[in-house]
Amino acid sequence: MRFAAVVAAAVLAAGSAGAAPKPVARDAKVWAAAEKAQAAQLRLLEEVVNIDSGTGDVEGGRRVAAVLVPRLEALGMTIEKVPAEAPDLPENIVATLKGTGKGRILLIGHLDTVFGPGTTARWPYAVKGDRVTGPGVGDEKGGVVGGITAIQILKDLGFRDFKQIVFLIESSEERGSPGTRKLIDRLLADADVELNLEPGDAPDVITVWRKGSTVLEIAVKGRAAHAGVAPQEGRNAAEELINQLKATHPFPKAGDGTTLNLTILDAGTRNNIIPEDARATLSLRVREKAEVDRVIGALEASAAKPTIPDTRVTVGQQTSYPPLPNNAATDALADRAEAIYAGLGLKLGRGGNGGASESALANEAGVPALDGLGPVGGDFHSDKEWIDLKSVTPRLYLLTKLIMDVGRNPPARIK
């Protein structure tokens, strides 16, 4: 998950502690199939990028699903459209393909973006040199299309050495998956591994850790009054909110550790009324879960002592993601990915960032998870969002081969 205010902190590493994994020789058939698939892959990407599907855009999400579902059905996958667990969200898509092997693979991607209605009209999909741009092209329609294309390659090659591939395309990730939590828990209970299709970070990095994401709200209740006739009768909620926000100042705005950033302010209704209500939304990102309690504790301590008499301050918390910590199970999957990539003569970096994702939920459920398997990109959640065209085929090859690998040899669940 990548919010507009997020600070991505990609930390490159040569690999996990110890010797680099031995390269896996390039699979000529898979590579040829990945190269051949690129034109159709990009056509499908263009089609879905040019559909507005910001979180909460029910019609837009359903239009994207209407494009994707027939392609999944054509691959022999059974489709379950699961109603969202929160209001005003489109259905989630669960596509399942049965095989003949051992590994139970859960792919997760999301069709929702952070962009509002009308965005594609002024900023459609475009290819500019080695960059493909458009709303949600990287986060994460490029990854979703890559997942579909990888399954197409497996079908074309007759590869069925997996017990099942379950592809969850969810509809509310950009808000912390409030419409999908129970569904994710159900799917993780029947999975050996989770592969997440969030974009890779530049220059060519997979994600082995992520910060947890929590949305906090400071709300102030004051008292309205005429701003000219009797302002003294009012209790200015906006001014109290400004004072309360001083409690956020000790926390860093950027860096690899805890960050707390103001993202939304709302106060007042008319110029001649003392504001009765004021709210601030804050994006909290943490490497350790205990940090959430520490930050909330500081805000609540300030809220208990309003600076303007007769105002009331409350601190609230919305659905959040836990952190994905560095862990041995993810490192072992990264070893496999690095070895596959090395067979192409390419080096795969490892890193992390402040954007949360479903992989943290997988890790907490004891399911080994690897993230950042979509095409490489950047400037997410902005009107400069892009993916690197040169990364599309290598990343498709990596995803396809990794599915084959964990299908044959699934990792043990985390104890």
Side-chain angles (χ1 to χ4, degrees), residues 222-236 269-276:
R223 187 163 69 220
H226 194 297
V229 175
Q232 71 279 3
E233 298 299 325
R235 297 295 182 265
N236 196 312
T269 57
R270 293 175 65 95
N271 180 58
N272 59 357
I273 301 175
I274 298 296
E276 180 179 6

Side-chain angles (χ1 to χ4, degrees), residues 114-257:
V114 300
F115 301 99
T119 303
T120 59
R122 61 175 176 78
W123 177 38
Y125 175 99
V127 179
K128 302 175 182 178
D130 288 330
R131 288 193 172 185
V132 184
T133 66
V137 69
D139 189 15
E140 101 184 26
K141 291 179 178 179
V144 170
V145 170
I148 294 172
T149 309
I151 297 170
Q152 178 72 62
I153 291 174
L154 297 179
K155 179 178 185 294
D156 292 345
L157 294 178
F159 182 86
R160 301 186 66 224
D161 197 0
F162 50 84
K163 184 174 182 179
Q164 66 182 26
I165 297 172
V166 177
F167 192 176
L168 167 62
I169 304 175
E170 67 143 313
S171 63
S172 60
E173 190 271 353
E174 294 293 1
R175 289 186 187 166
S177 301
T180 325
R181 287 303 182 91
K182 292 179 182 177
L183 175 59
I184 291 173
D185 288 345
R186 168 165 71 87
L187 298 179
L188 286 171
D190 192 29
D192 297 307
V193 62
E194 185 259 353
L195 303 179
N196 200 286
L197 302 175
E198 288 280 352
D201 286 320
D204 205 343
V205 179
I206 52 172
T207 305
V208 296
W209 64 263
R210 285 187 179 275
K211 293 184 184 182
S213 170
T214 299
V215 178
L216 302 179
E217 182 182 82
I218 302 174
V220 180
K221 188 70 172 181
R223 187 163 69 220
H226 194 297
V229 175
Q232 71 279 3
E233 298 299 325
R235 297 295 182 265
N236 196 312
E239 288 190 5
E240 179 58 36
L241 179 59
I242 291 169
N243 294 335
Q244 289 294 322
L245 287 172
K246 294 176 182 177
T248 71
H249 293 173
F251 299 102
K253 308 303 179 189
D256 288 347

Side-chain angles (χ1 to χ4, degrees), residues 51-130:
I51 299 173
D52 290 315
S53 59
T55 314
D57 183 347
V58 176
E59 181 58 31
R62 288 174 176 167
R63 287 179 60 204
V64 173
V67 173
L68 300 180
V69 166
R71 287 165 171 79
L72 295 166
E73 290 175 327
L75 297 174
M77 307 188 84
T78 58
I79 305 298
E80 181 184 5
K81 292 184 179 180
V82 183
E85 298 155 19
D88 302 320
L89 294 168
E91 297 78 9
N92 301 290
I93 302 167
V94 179
T96 302
L97 183 65
K98 298 294 186 179
T100 58
K102 295 187 298 182
R104 299 171 300 167
I105 303 158
L106 175 60
L107 301 178
I108 300 184
H110 64 87
L111 58 78
D112 63 312
T113 74
V114 300
F115 301 99
T119 303
T120 59
R122 61 175 176 78
W123 177 38
Y125 175 99
V127 179
K128 302 175 182 178
D130 288 330

Side-chain angles (χ1 to χ4, degrees), residues 293-343:
D293 291 336
R294 182 172 77 91
V295 173
I296 291 177
L299 300 185
E300 288 181 337
S302 177
K305 299 177 180 179
T307 60
I308 297 177
D310 303 324
T311 58
R312 186 174 74 254
V313 184
T314 57
V315 177
Q317 175 182 354
Q318 298 179 22
T319 301
S320 62
Y321 283 118
L324 171 65
N326 291 105
N327 66 89
T330 292
D331 285 340
L333 288 172
D335 284 344
R336 298 197 199 194
E338 185 179 329
I340 291 168
Y341 224 51

